Amino acid sequence: MSRTDLIPPDRSPSAHCHARRVRLPDGVGATWLAGLFERAVRTWWGDTPDRLPRLWDERVPAACDSAVAGRRVEAELHRPLDAEGALLRAVLLQYADGPADLVLVAHRANLDALSLRTVADVLTGRARYEGFTDKTASHIVAAADAETLKRWREADFSGRIAWASGDDAAGDRTGLVTVAIREAGPDVPATMAAAVGLVLGRYENQENPVVGVLGPVPERPEGALGAFDAGLLLALDLSGARTAGELVAETAQALASDGGRCDGRQYAELLAETGGRVVAGLLTDGPAESGSGTHVPCQTAPFPLTIVPGRTPDGGLQLVVRHRLEDVDADSARRFARHVVRAYEQLANAPAGLVPADVELMDEAETRQVVALGRPLRRLDWRPERIDDVFASRVAERPDAVALTCEGRSLTYAELDARADRFAAALLDRGVRAGERVGVCLGRTPDLVVAMLAVLKADAVYVPMDPAYPADRLAFTAQDAALRIVIADQDFPGGGSASVVRPEELETHGGEAGRARPERREPGEAAYVIYTSGSTGRPKGVVVPHRNVVALLSATRDDFGLGPGDTWTLFHSSAFDFSVWEIWGALLTGARLVVVPYWVSRSPEEFRELLARERVTVLNQTPSAFAQLMEADRRQDERLAVRLVIFGGEPLDARPLRAWFDRYPEDRCRLVNMYGITETTVHVTAQNVTRREAMTGSRSVGHALPGWHLYVLDERGRPVPCGVPGEIHVGGDGVALEYLDRPELTAQRFLPDPFTMGRVYRSGDRGRLLPDGRLEHLGRLDTQVKLRGFRVELDEIRNVLLDDPSVTAAAVVLNGDRDAAGARIDAYVVPAGGDPAAIRQRAAKVLPEHMLPATITPLDTLPLTANGKLDVRGLPEPVVAPAAPIRAPSGELAGALAAVWESVLGVPVGPDDNFFELGGNSLYAMRVAAAMRDRGLPAFPMRELYLHPTVSGLAYVLDEVTSHE
Amino acid sequence: MTMRLSGKTAVITGAARGLGRASARMFAREGADLVLLDVARGLPGVPYALGSASQLEYTAELCREFGVSVMTRQADVRETHDVEAAVSMAIGRFGRIDVLVNNAGIAAPSGKVAHEIDEHEWQLMIDVDLSGAWRAIRAVGKLMVEQRSGSIVNIASTAGLVGYRHFAGYVAAKHGLIGLTKAVALDYAPRKVRVNALCPGSVRDDPQVEGRMLAEIARSLDVPVGEHEEAFVQAQPMNTLIEPDDVASAAVWLASDESRQVTGSVLTVDGGFTAR
Ligand SMILES: NC(=O)c1ccc[n+]([C@@H]2O[C@H](COP(=O)([O-])OP(=O)(O)OC[C@H]3O[C@@H](n4cnc5c(N)ncnc54)[C@H](O)[C@@H]3O)[C@@H](O)[C@H]2O)c1
């Protein structure tokens, strides 16, 4: 007898032990059985006396149908047997009321399922032992050829199972779910294996999913006792190159051939090479039998999802999935089993042209259920209106309330209204037509808000532009939006055909104020156009109508308790739509809006001071910016008046918020994480963030807002099952009108809603719906990269880095050619102390080799864009490049300044290098200030650095200051 | 109610009576399958009757009432062969061993000052109470390490922590057993096999488990049982003797996954005796 090398090889013996229980027929006594057993095993295995099985005869002091007896049988069926020990364990359980059960346990490496059944038949008098002999299987199992190995190697292996929740403490424990199969097909194992691969491919978004198969080789000799199970991997081609019929036929062929087997060693090598794993596998012991007794095909599941086709007691087909609780919870396993059965039924009766992608995983009822899952908890109760009309109501209600504050100056609602009316009248005088786009390129001043309101009052459409943006970008926007008029402070660098109007010119306009157009466009018409730059291609203008903004406020006002008692900040660039929420969120609910000067927004300390001074209650922040603010706040004793913080703009890692909750308990300040997209009007979902989320590191972004709804769809636009990742689509009252003048792109991204009236926006974000309808945001679809054949989610790596308590922030980028060997993952971390080597070591414990970043570069802070999001382009080179020759700064002060900058920034500094382009940021700025103080250099206000961000510029100003002292 | 040891197989030495029986019974109630061992005959040099085969069978019967599978085997912990045969039987039957309770022990020959103990008396005491535990550990250790799980409970005594007059051999053996516990705990910790010592104080001779330790100790010291008992009630701050089930519960906890981070520890069940 020689052992067979099984897959998967690394499991405890219980994964390869199988067991069978039979009730002894009437008249078969224990003594008779013992005699027969002795004779039979001596005949079969007399030549290996040290491995000879023995019969354990035991009494159970309880009736055969008692709970005690049931527990005992279960225990016996699940006692493992070592592969090297006795060939078989036989236990006779004699119950107090007469009947007896025989329980047989064997290791697959010694005896296969048919052998075990034969032994049972012999011992219960159904067959004679003389008809069977011990055989060895090794000679009939051929190893995989080079061709097959190559196919396996190139297939998609899986990583962590993201669509289920595992229990880390479950150990070997295995769950079991059963689903009936209504329509049987001709070749059950092959069809089932194809169905499993298909479902797995859909769940994991794989084109070449791998399915393990463990079962008897086709050439199993008649009447043999022994080990005839061998392993096999199926790499299924779901690309569409094969029809469903071909897929099943190929699978059948692989299963029926005597070659192409995968042994334990090959299996282990493959996994080591690909860094992945095989999450689903079939045990094909076969549905060949039904009838009495119990068969346990595996004591614990060898594969995380172990699929066993079998028969129900009445002879029907059924699917049993044994799942390792460590990886897959019961609900997810049940869903998986249901989808496999549905796929199986379609494959079994596939019409000729059916391709794998045609197969539907969910029936109508389940589809309806997941569609309903993405709906908000409440309906939106509102009336579509124009933004300026809602504003007018607020003016009428409380004309003397303060609407805007900026650096000590304030405007009441009435004053703001009047000033905007004057601006509007001036615009009308300049011939602005209804629906015409007007550029607003102003810094963060009250006039920015006045100008936007004025454009709306003139029934035109505002196009916000951040004057800090590069001239090229502004010129592009002006041209793309076909702007005739741009309201700008300084010289508008955009040039071109647009004429620039300064706020002063609009202000001093002599025309009569309050002259609005008699007839204005409907609330469903455009109010503003914001340009977004996707990761690829040129920026595109998103056209958003009035009604969307009003819907957004209606959806959130009551829940957030927004009202005249609130003070908001205008913190974000007007070119980032978070500012739409800040401006209109405040002004349409009667609150006060504090305009935050740019340099204050760049300095967490100064911003914190402003929040305290102005007693701001509603704060909107990107998580990156909030992290810095939190840091600044921690150094102060006094608490802020903030009662609501809204996170937006980028994924939130809730874990660092624990420190915030210690200072600001949840009942004092509510934190809400909102997932949003410019194309769906700022926000889509809302998730309250409490200590619980911080503790669990929850990635949920919550339910859809009332009026908004979500679908998670596959590439064909079909809903994916609950828990399975897909692309987030957003429908409802927030969907923008279009991309300005980009009909093809609009048609690609704004699609007809497949389940209701209206349109949905296809976000390009990956997400999944949790069973309670909350959305989990899993990053951009395009951050999922394929690296050396392996699908890698950069956000997943980032999360692992963030799990390290010594890392406060992290960024992960893919460098080099994406699909070539040159591709490399680089990580940047902000360590709380400690050395990066230790961070790397800890990450290596969790991440497979291919996911481990090639470099981990420590930074003091991550660079942020003007919008407060991670600035990928602002990340330094992971490997320090040799310094290029540069012109030395001239002058004593300039030299000293350059030295300070160099020490802080860690790069060589020339006289005309821009501080911020060298990687400088607010934190570095503070360091520079501190270092200058230490060296006795003149102190300077933060503002100066923003106005003069070069060594020569700043040196000049400082010279001026000191020489006048 | 879920059982705290279901799915586990436990080997208990010295299970014929006393604390071994009490532990076996409680382990069975918590769902453990059992391999019960005992020398099951008298030992030359031990001045009192040890457990019998009949007592061992009776313990097994009590356990089977709970529906678990129970095997018994005569095994002297002084004999490597006995211990190894018993363990390989256990593996053949159950496929795994999750718990070892080293309970077999003798309290006498005792009652002498150190220089009066003879070579044979000394060797016997050490051989049963200390080396016996090591032999059983040697027999199951490899398997547990391969399983990457297991709990070994060494029944020591307060005599492993403090001295008692006229009990030098016993005290030395039990102190040694605690040392063994700590050293092996470190050996096995990386493989998730745990080793702990349990130190009972003075346990009442419960007729249900046919205990007689207290009586034997009183006899060794040549004092009436009642007087000896009274002295211990006084000495244990909770003013009562320990019940066998008090020790058994502690053993269940150490055997179960509830104590999964506990290793190398010494748990006293002594009514506060060693707290003074
Ligand atoms: N009872 C107490 O007050 C008390 C206090 C502290 C510690 N202990 C310890 O608890 C354990 C059990 O004690 P008990 O009170 O139940 O005693 P006990 O004498 O009632 O039971 C001990 C059992 O161990 C068996 N045994 C003795 N030598 C053996 C050997 N060489 N091989 C196999 N089996 C052997 C005996 O046959 C007996 O069945 C002992 O280790 C003892 O030192 C007891």
Side-chain angles (χ1 to χ4, degrees), chain A residues 13 54 56 58-61 68 71-72 75-76 78-82 86 89 91 93 169 172, chain B residues 3 8-9 33 61 64-71 89-96 146 260:
Chain A
R54 64 169 278 194
W56 304 86
E58 297 192 358
R59 255 156 251 277
V60 180
V68 167
R71 266 208 308 274
R72 180 61 177 280
E76 296 300 347
H78 288 92
R79 290 193 210 289
L81 196 63
D82 190 63
R89 181 193 298 121
V91 179
L93 298 175
D172 261 354
Chain B
M3 293 182 290
K8 291 193 190 294
T9 301
D33 296 307
E61 278 311 308
R64 290 191 184 107
E65 301 280 315
F66 295 101
V68 296
S69 180
V70 184
M71 291 197 317
M89 173 186 77
I91 294 172
R93 174 65 183 88
F94 296 115
R96 55 185 297 124
E146 273 169 18
R260 66 200 173 109

Side-chain angles (χ1 to χ4, degrees), chain A residues 449-622:
Chain A
V449 180
V450 175
M452 287 175 177
L453 184 57
V455 173
L456 296 182
K457 279 172 179 276
D459 200 18
V461 177
Y462 70 82
V463 182
M465 291 180 278
D466 190 328
Y469 275 24
D472 284 356
R473 168 80 188 251
L474 296 177
F476 170 83
T477 305
Q479 197 195 359
D480 190 74
L483 300 181
R484 214 162 49 79
I485 296 177
V486 175
I487 307 173
D489 248 335
Q490 302 152 342
D491 288 339
F492 176 69
S497 55
S499 68
V500 174
V501 187
R502 290 167 189 268
E504 302 85 70
E505 297 172 49
L506 296 172
E507 151 86 295
T508 53
H509 168 75
E512 69 199 276
R515 196 196 66 183
R517 287 185 194 280
E519 242 165 62
R520 291 163 311 150
R521 295 169 309 137
E522 294 296 305
E525 307 257 16
Y528 63 85
V529 176
I530 283 190
Y531 275 77
T532 65
S533 50
S535 46
T536 50
R538 57 197 167 96
K540 46 210 187 281
V542 182
V543 185
V544 180
H546 285 261
R547 52 168 284 154
N548 289 25
V549 175
V550 176
L552 181 63
L553 265 304
S554 308
T556 50
R557 188 177 40 226
D558 291 349
D559 184 18
F560 294 165
L562 305 175
D566 281 319
T567 300
W568 299 50
T569 52
L570 171 52
F571 178 89
H572 296 96
S573 159
S574 64
F576 176 21
D577 79 336
F578 216 0
S579 68
V580 169
W581 163 253
E582 292 182 309
I583 294 169
W584 302 121
L587 297 183
L588 302 192
T589 58
R592 180 169 72 101
L593 180 65
V594 179
V595 179
V596 182
Y598 178 72
W599 54 86
V600 175
S601 78
R602 299 281 89 185
S603 157
E605 279 67 30
E606 291 180 36
F607 181 50
R608 194 215 157 267
E609 222 179 280
L610 177 145
L611 293 178
R613 194 174 58 240
E614 298 287 353
R615 302 201 53 77
V616 170
T617 61
V618 178
L619 175 62
N620 300 282
Q621 290 279 277
T622 61

Side-chain angles (χ1 to χ4, degrees), chain A residues 17-29:
Chain A
C17 282
H18 54 126
R20 174 171 289 275
R21 175 194 68 99
V22 280
R23 181 60 50 92
L24 286 200
D26 286 343
V28 175

Side-chain angles (χ1 to χ4, degrees), chain A residues 821-875:
Chain A
R824 193 187 65 210
I825 297 168
D826 291 306
Y828 297 85
V829 295
V830 179
D835 74 315
I839 296 172
R840 188 186 169 77
Q841 270 163 21
R842 282 188 287 270
K845 285 193 183 145
V846 190
L847 292 172
E849 180 70 35
H850 66 272
M851 286 174 79
L852 195 63
T855 65
I856 297 184
T857 308
L859 297 177
D860 286 326
T861 56
L862 295 178
L864 304 185
T865 64
N867 294 348
K869 302 188 196 187
L870 174 74
D871 181 5
V872 176
R873 267 162 290 192
L875 289 168

Side-chain angles (χ1 to χ4, degrees), chain B residues 14 17-19 38-39 51 75-77 103 155-156 170 174 200-201 203 213:
Chain B
R17 67 173 189 209
L19 297 183
D38 203 284
V39 65
D76 183 344
V77 295
N103 167 77
I155 307 296
Y170 186 73
K174 292 296 187 184
V203 180
M213 192 62 93

Side-chain angles (χ1 to χ4, degrees), chain B:
Chain B
M1 192 194 73
T2 60
M3 293 182 290
R4 296 153 76 198
L5 299 177
S6 62
K8 291 193 190 294
T9 301
V11 175
I12 303 178
T13 66
R17 67 173 189 209
L19 297 183
R21 177 182 290 173
S23 301
R25 199 174 50 184
M26 203 176 284
F27 274 45
R29 198 185 74 194
E30 295 298 339
D33 296 307
L34 297 170
V35 179
L36 303 180
L37 310 179
D38 203 284
V39 65
R41 60 183 164 85
L43 287 184
V46 178
Y48 63 97
L50 294 180
S52 67
S54 158
Q55 284 178 318
L56 182 60
E57 263 327 297
Y58 181 67
T59 303
E61 278 311 308
L62 290 175
C63 295
R64 290 191 184 107
E65 301 280 315
F66 295 101
V68 296
S69 180
V70 184
M71 291 197 317
T72 58
R73 189 170 171 115
Q74 196 251 315
D76 183 344
V77 295
R78 296 176 309 161
E79 300 295 335
T80 299
H81 172 79
D82 279 13
V83 174
E84 282 179 354
V87 165
S88 75
M89 173 186 77
I91 294 172
R93 174 65 183 88
F94 296 115
R96 55 185 297 124
I97 296 175
D98 302 284
V99 185
L100 166 67
V101 183
N102 277 314
N103 167 77
I106 51 175
S110 292
K112 298 177 180 173
V113 294
H115 65 270
E116 285 172 1
I117 302 171
D118 71 25
E119 186 70 30
H120 178 73
E121 287 169 338
W122 178 265
Q123 291 297 353
L124 177 62
M125 190 57 86
I126 300 296
D127 205 11
V128 177
D129 285 8
L130 175 56
S131 309
W134 162 73
R135 280 183 200 99
I137 289 172
R138 183 174 59 177
V140 302
K142 181 167 176 285
L143 174 76
M144 286 187 170
V145 161
E146 273 169 18
Q147 284 173 182
R148 286 187 157 64
S149 77
S151 172
I152 296 172
V153 182
N154 293 326
I155 307 296
S157 162
T158 48
L161 297 167
V162 297
Y164 287 95
R165 298 173 64 215
H166 299 161
F167 272 83
Y170 186 73
V171 167
K174 292 296 187 184
H175 271 72
L177 184 55
I178 288 179
L180 177 71
T181 301
K182 293 181 177 174
V184 182
L186 295 182
D187 285 346
Y188 290 169
R191 298 307 180 83
K192 308 284 176 242
V193 175
R194 305 183 291 114
V195 191
N196 293 285
L198 181 49
C199 295
S202 205
V203 180
R204 187 174 68 90
D205 283 342
D206 177 3
Q208 283 304 308
V209 299
E210 306 182 70
R212 57 186 298 166
M213 192 62 93
L214 206 75
E216 287 312 327
I217 291 170
R219 211 176 59 180
S220 298
L221 296 172
D222 205 14
V223 291
V225 180
E227 213 172 278
H228 178 68
E229 224 174 74
E230 188 48 37
F232 260 99
V233 170
Q234 301 277 321
Q236 298 189 150
M238 294 187 88
N239 279 327
T240 172
L241 293 176
I242 310 300
E243 292 295 328
D245 274 356
D246 296 328
V247 179
S249 319
V252 165
W253 181 71
L254 286 174
S256 77
D257 297 339
E258 293 160 27
S259 60
R260 66 200 173 109
Q261 299 299 348
V262 181
T263 194
S265 80
V266 180
L267 177 59
T268 55
V269 181
D270 67 354
F273 177 74
T274 48
R276 297 204 206 260

Side-chain angles (χ1 to χ4, degrees), chain A residues 202 205-207 357 712-720 725-727 729 751 762 781 784 791:
Chain A
R202 291 281 183 86
N205 189 23
Q206 295 169 339
E207 236 173 40
V712 177
L713 306 179
D714 67 12
E715 274 161 19
R716 281 219 186 172
R718 291 171 296 194
V720 298
E727 183 171 1
H729 287 62
L751 311 169
R762 180 176 185 179
L781 275 175
Q784 208 191 39
R791 221 171 272 272

